[in-house]
Amino acid sequence: MSDGFNVNEYWLKRGLGYIGEALPRDYHRLQEGFLLDLLGASRMAANRILEIGCGFGRITKLLAENFPKAQIMAVDLSPDQLANAQRYCGEREKIVFEQYDFYSDLPFPGSRYDAAIAVEVFLHHPRQVVRRLIEQLSVISGCIVNIDWSEEWPWK
């Protein structure tokens, strides 16, 4: 972590109420459409999906609705976000939610995925952490999809 800023502390605190924040809905609809177009155009199998940084489950629910046969592992640092995601996504037996800390050096849960998806996740972490995450994900996933946007953050 950089210059005394602790990204985990930030997200654990923000995770308490993130679901209630005003979200840029038009932007998110464009982002979600782009993700679905990208996944559809890839023609890859989408039987096993890992979503990292699932937050309150916005993308998790989208994936479950559009890939109903897929097994989805959704991970997030915040137990509060994971509880929100479980409520937001409803009872779906093909989604597993698990707490995961990018800074723990532990392997991601599971052993093989068709796709690892990170939406608005990597931009929140320093370059060296993102490099390590991509290396880890490339071992367990056939495809890594990252969608970020520009946001002021403590590092470039």
Side-chain angles (χ1 to χ4, degrees):
M1 305 215 209
S2 174
D3 298 339
F5 177 77
N6 185 312
V7 69
N8 281 359
E9 286 177 13
Y10 172 86
W11 280 109
L12 285 170
K13 183 177 178 184
R14 190 168 174 202
L16 294 170
Y18 184 73
I19 194 170
E21 291 181 16
L23 300 172
R25 300 223 186 279
D26 290 343
Y27 171 77
H28 281 163
R29 296 295 99 56
L30 287 171
Q31 184 185 70
E32 292 161 5
F34 177 73
L35 175 62
L36 293 175
D37 288 348
L38 180 68
L39 293 174
S42 74
R43 294 192 182 104
M44 71 170 179
N47 300 317
R48 293 185 43 79
I49 299 171
L50 172 65
E51 183 194 3
I52 65 171
C54 71
F56 68 85
R58 177 176 67 90
I59 298 298
T60 315
K61 187 175 182 179
L62 179 77
L63 293 169
E65 290 171 348
N66 286 275
F67 300 95
K69 295 181 181 177
Q71 294 288 332
I72 300 171
M73 170 64 71
V75 299
D76 199 273
L77 170 69
S78 169
D80 298 296
Q81 287 285 53
L82 291 168
N84 287 334
Q86 287 176 319
R87 283 189 295 277
Y88 185 74
C89 291
E91 295 296 320
R92 296 176 192 260
E93 57 188 55
K94 293 190 178 256
I95 302 175
V96 175
F97 293 97
E98 194 165 313
Q99 189 173 10
Y100 181 80
D101 180 354
F102 295 158
Y103 295 85
S104 69
D105 291 327
L106 293 173
F108 280 98
S111 59
R112 193 72 192 144
Y113 296 95
D114 298 314
I117 297 174
V119 176
E120 296 180 17
V121 174
F122 290 160
L123 72 115
H124 298 278
H125 301 279
R127 182 174 288 146
Q128 67 272 20
V129 173
V130 173
R131 263 194 217 111
R132 185 178 48 77
L133 289 171
I134 290 172
E135 288 171 6
Q136 283 180 283
L137 291 169
S138 67
V139 171
I140 62 169
S141 180
C143 177
I144 301 169
V145 177
N146 172 55
I147 299 176
D148 275 333
W149 62 310
S150 179
E151 180 178 312
E152 288 297 319
W153 208 249
W155 39 76
K156 298 284 181 205

